[in-house]
Amino acid sequence: MTSVDRQIADIEQSIEQAKGDIAFGDALARLFANRDFKKVVLDGFLREEAVRLVHLLADPNMQSEDKQSAVIGEIKAIGCFRSYLQMIEHKSGMARKALHYSEEMLAELNQEQGEANVG
């Protein structure tokens, strides 16, 4: 396998990975557009539940160390889930850019390889 063949194989692999990341991001975008997902997850869990838990931290009945720790753990879980969703969006956006670049590079390498085979 020549150096150019190896580069082409690597780029083709990158293209497939990017397409997978883009498809995953597209799936998330469809979820974000779904009314029920917005109501239950985005509004209900990520906003209303987060606010409820923050207020619960100040509740006089929730001042023991164990209860405070449990509530903080739930708040952290909400934050982790939101970070996960943001990571998917970011990774998908980066994959779109990488796909464009990789496709250009692949076209150039294929052209160079074609010219080398003719000459």
Side-chain angles (χ1 to χ4, degrees), residues 39-51 74 77-78 81:
K39 182 177 182 178
V40 173
V41 176
L42 300 180
D43 295 337
F45 183 65
L46 295 178
R47 185 178 24 222
E48 293 170 15
E49 181 64 3
V51 169
E74 290 181 51
I78 291 171
F81 181 62

Side-chain angles (χ1 to χ4, degrees), residues 53-74:
L53 289 168
V54 169
H55 289 154
L56 197 56
L57 287 174
D59 185 315
N61 297 317
M62 299 297 291
Q63 296 306 305
S64 72
E65 188 175 326
D66 289 346
K67 290 179 181 178
Q68 289 281 306
S69 180
V71 173
I72 290 169
E74 290 181 51

